[in-house]
């Protein structure tokens, strides 16, 4: 079942305990972000309200006792988009209350289905696939209607293998 517009927002916001994302694209080509990615690449300052709507949503989830997090898959060297995320996106998301970890698969896939598909897992029960073109443009979102058990296991594996964002960035800077 496709998830677009308000259907996606309702599906997403219905989680009771945890929303968790496996984020695997090397680049996301999101029309709303293109101007900010270009600013970052030109070395300009990050706008004060960067990603403010998402931060507000994350704070609301956290204040209501719900958790939100993700594992960001990367391969070195980082793409321009990943460098943008690391500098402008992820720190603000963490400050808002999101738990973000990094899984570097440069040398090892860690037993995960590295198919290039992103997905959200809600409360360990509901899964939504996010489908992208090779250039990172999102095609659509859809409900995965089979057994969520493999996704629960993949989440567990990803969390075991990933490191907190701050730790990854410190190692990246030192190395």
């Amino acid at each position: 079942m496709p998830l677009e517009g308000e259907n996606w927002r309702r599906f997403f916001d219905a989680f009771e305990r945890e929303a968790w994302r496996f984020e695997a694209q090397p680049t996301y080509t999101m029309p709303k972000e293109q101007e900010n990615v270009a600013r970052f690449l030109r070395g300009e300052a990050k706008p004060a309200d960067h990603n403010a709507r998402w931060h507000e949503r994350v704070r609301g989830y956290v204040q209501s006792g719900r958790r939100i997090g993700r594992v960001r898959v990367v391969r070195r060297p980082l793409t321009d988009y990943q460098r943008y995320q690391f500098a402008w996106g992820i720190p603000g998301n963490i400050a808002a209350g999101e738990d973000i970890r990094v899984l570097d698969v440069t040398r090892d896939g860690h037993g995960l289905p590295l198919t290039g598909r992103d997905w959200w897992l809600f409360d360990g029960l509901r899964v939504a696939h996010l489908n992208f073109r090779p250039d990172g443009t999102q095609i659509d979102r859809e409900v995965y209607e089979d057994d969520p058990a493999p996704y629960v296991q993949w989440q567990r594996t990803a969390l075991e293998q990933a490191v907190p964002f701050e730790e990854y960035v410190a190692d990246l800077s030192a190395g």
Side-chain angles (χ1 to χ4, degrees), residues 8 14 25 27 33 36 45 68-69 82 90 92 99-100 117 120 137 158 164 171:
W8 168 240
Q25 303 304 306
T27 298
E33 283 186 322
N36 279 329
I68 186 161
Q82 289 167 338
I90 293 174
D99 176 29
I100 301 178
R117 171 170 277 160
W120 280 96
T137 302
D171 288 348

Coordinates of all heavy atoms in Angstrom, one line a residue, residues 8 14 25 27 33 36 45 68-69 82 90 92 99-100 117 120 137 158 164 171:
W8 N 1.0 9.1 4.8 CA 2.3 8.9 5.4 C 2.5 9.5 6.8 O 2.9 8.9 7.7 CB 3.4 9.4 4.4 CG 4.8 9.5 5.0 CD1 5.6 10.6 5.2 CD2 5.6 8.4 5.5 NE1 6.8 10.2 5.7 CE2 6.8 8.9 6.0 CE3 5.3 7.0 5.7 CZ2 7.8 8.1 6.5 CZ3 6.3 6.2 6.2 CH2 7.5 6.7 6.6
A14 N 1.6 7.4 14.2 CA 0.9 6.4 14.9 C 1.8 5.5 15.8 O 1.2 4.8 16.6 CB 0.0 5.5 14.0
Q25 N 21.0 5.4 1.7 CA 21.4 6.0 0.4 C 22.6 6.9 0.6 O 22.8 7.6 1.6 CB 20.2 7.0 0.0 CG 18.9 6.4 -0.2 CD 18.9 5.2 -1.1 OE1 19.3 5.4 -2.3 NE2 18.4 4.1 -0.7
T27 N 23.3 9.4 -1.2 CA 22.9 10.8 -1.5 C 21.4 10.8 -1.5 O 20.7 9.8 -2.0 CB 23.4 11.2 -2.8 OG1 24.9 11.2 -2.8 CG2 22.9 12.6 -3.2
E33 N 15.8 20.4 0.0 CA 17.2 20.5 0.5 C 18.2 21.0 -0.5 O 19.3 21.4 0.0 CB 17.7 19.1 1.0 CG 17.1 18.6 2.3 CD 17.8 17.3 2.7 OE1 18.1 16.5 1.9 OE2 18.0 17.2 3.9
N36 N 20.0 24.3 0.4 CA 20.9 24.2 1.5 C 22.2 23.3 1.3 O 23.3 23.7 1.7 CB 20.2 23.7 2.7 CG 19.4 24.7 3.4 OD1 19.7 25.9 3.4 ND2 18.3 24.3 4.0
A45 N 27.3 29.8 5.8 CA 26.8 29.5 7.1 C 25.5 28.8 7.1 O 24.7 29.0 6.2 CB 26.7 30.7 8.0
I68 N 13.0 8.0 19.0 CA 13.2 8.1 17.6 C 14.7 8.0 17.3 O 15.5 8.6 18.0 CB 12.5 9.3 16.9 CG1 12.6 9.3 15.4 CG2 13.1 10.6 17.5 CD1 11.7 10.2 14.7
G69 N 15.0 7.2 16.3 CA 16.4 7.1 16.0 C 16.7 6.5 14.6 O 15.7 6.2 13.9
Q82 N 26.6 13.3 2.4 CA 26.8 12.8 3.7 C 27.6 13.8 4.5 O 27.3 14.0 5.7 CB 27.6 11.5 3.7 CG 26.7 10.4 3.2 CD 27.5 9.1 2.8 OE1 28.6 9.2 2.5 NE2 26.8 8.0 2.8
I90 N 22.6 16.2 11.0 CA 22.6 15.3 12.2 C 22.8 15.9 13.5 O 22.1 15.6 14.5 CB 23.6 14.1 11.9 CG1 23.1 13.3 10.7 CG2 23.8 13.3 13.2 CD1 24.1 12.2 10.3
G92 N 21.8 18.8 14.7 CA 20.6 19.4 15.1 C 19.5 18.3 15.5 O 18.7 18.5 16.4
D99 N 18.3 9.7 18.4 CA 19.4 8.9 18.6 C 20.0 8.5 17.2 O 19.3 7.7 16.5 CB 19.1 7.6 19.4 CG 20.3 6.7 19.6 OD1 21.4 7.1 19.5 OD2 20.0 5.4 19.7
I100 N 21.1 9.0 16.8 CA 21.7 8.7 15.5 C 23.0 8.1 15.6 O 23.9 8.6 16.3 CB 21.7 10.0 14.6 CG1 20.3 10.6 14.5 CG2 22.4 9.7 13.3 CD1 20.3 11.9 13.7
R117 N 18.0 0.0 0.1 CA 16.7 0.3 0.5 C 16.7 0.9 1.9 O 17.3 0.4 2.8 CB 15.8 -0.9 0.4 CG 14.4 -0.6 1.1 CD 13.4 -1.6 0.8 NE 12.8 -1.4 -0.5 CZ 12.2 -2.4 -1.2 NH1 12.1 -3.6 -0.7 NH2 11.7 -2.1 -2.4
W120 N 11.7 2.3 7.6 CA 11.4 2.7 8.9 C 10.7 1.5 9.6 O 9.9 0.8 9.0 CB 10.3 3.8 9.0 CG 10.9 5.2 8.8 CD1 11.0 5.9 7.6 CD2 11.5 6.1 9.8 NE1 11.5 7.1 7.8 CE2 11.8 7.3 9.1 CE3 11.7 5.9 11.1 CZ2 12.4 8.3 9.8 CZ3 12.2 7.0 11.8 CH2 12.6 8.2 11.1
T137 N 16.7 10.3 -5.5 CA 15.4 10.9 -5.6 C 14.4 9.9 -5.1 O 14.4 8.7 -5.6 CB 15.0 11.3 -7.0 OG1 16.0 12.2 -7.5 CG2 13.6 11.9 -7.1
A158 N 22.2 -3.8 13.2 CA 22.7 -2.5 12.9 C 23.1 -1.7 14.2 O 24.2 -1.1 14.2 CB 21.7 -1.7 12.1
P164 N 27.8 5.6 18.0 CA 27.2 6.9 18.2 C 27.8 7.9 17.2 O 29.0 7.9 16.9 CB 27.4 7.3 19.6 CG 27.6 6.0 20.3 CD 28.3 5.1 19.3
D171 N 36.4 9.9 15.4 CA 37.3 8.9 14.8 C 37.7 9.4 13.4 O 38.8 9.3 12.9 CB 36.7 7.5 14.8 CG 36.7 6.9 16.1 OD1 37.4 7.4 17.1 OD2 36.0 5.8 16.3

